[in-house]
Amino acid sequence: EAITRIRASLIDFDTIQYPTTGTTTIVFHGSGGTDTNTDALMSKLGSKGFMVDWSKYSQSTFFAAWNGHLIGKEVANRLIQSNSNEKKELHIIGISVGAMAADACVAEIKKLMPSAYVQETLLDPLCSRGIWDWTYGERAFGREANYAQHYL
């Protein structure tokens, strides 16, 4: 049921006008939603960037780590299934707990479209998965990306 609710609230990738050249950037905001920093980032990216609004599922950092994983995979699947499946250069950005969604998105893209060049940028990433796995990010983030960078 949770994934059904998540699917209903995400971006409709079929309606996006992708840039014909360059890299498409997808941004996953942190806990609670967008803020002045994400607004500034999106302004700089212009038409080459898209924000995934998953604020409904990122209110609690405890659950957001798990929800983010599901959301990242769903965004990747929608992206690949949409008319954008020819897009070969992607930049996936995750902010704070959005790192979980971004990393899952990158892994799913590379699984479904191995020829894609995917850059992963994590800004102040939340690295724990709940209270059970405090070193998850240290072990897992960026493994599937062609180029990964993390800024703490």
Side-chain angles (χ1 to χ4, degrees):
E1 182 186 347
I3 195 68
T4 304
R5 289 193 312 267
I6 289 169
R7 283 184 179 140
S9 66
L10 292 175
I11 294 172
D12 180 2
F13 283 99
D14 290 324
T15 64
I16 292 174
Q17 296 296 315
Y18 290 88
T20 55
T21 60
T23 302
T24 297
T25 302
I26 299 171
V27 179
F28 293 90
H29 60 69
S31 179
T34 60
D35 57 23
T36 55
N37 292 323
T38 55
D39 293 344
L41 174 61
M42 296 312 295
S43 175
K44 292 284 186 194
L45 290 172
S47 64
K48 293 187 179 203
F50 307 98
M51 173 72 68
V52 176
D53 181 4
W54 66 295
S55 55
K56 183 176 176 181
Y57 306 100
S58 67
Q59 296 298 317
S60 161
T61 52
F62 181 77
F63 292 111
W66 303 102
N67 290 341
H69 187 77
L70 294 173
I71 292 204
K73 287 179 75 170
E74 179 64 20
V75 167
N77 278 287
R78 285 183 180 215
L79 181 66
I80 300 302
Q81 291 170 6
S82 74
N83 61 9
S84 66
N85 60 2
E86 295 177 12
K87 193 65 185 152
K88 299 291 186 189
E89 293 180 30
L90 299 162
H91 185 185
I92 311 298
I93 299 175
I95 303 164
S96 184
V97 75
M100 296 291 179
D103 193 64
C105 184
V106 169
E108 192 73 3
I109 289 168
K110 292 302 286 181
K111 181 175 111 181
L112 299 172
M113 189 170 46
S115 63
Y117 180 86
V118 185
Q119 177 181 343
E120 178 178 341
T121 301
L122 304 180
L123 306 173
D124 192 22
L126 176 74
C127 293
S128 67
R129 274 186 123 175
I131 59 172
W132 299 279
D133 193 351
W134 289 97
T135 61
Y136 175 81
E138 184 180 326
R139 290 188 328 274
F141 286 159
R143 286 185 306 184
E144 304 299 327
N146 294 92
Y147 180 76
Q149 51 197 1
H150 305 169
Y151 298 96
L152 301 175

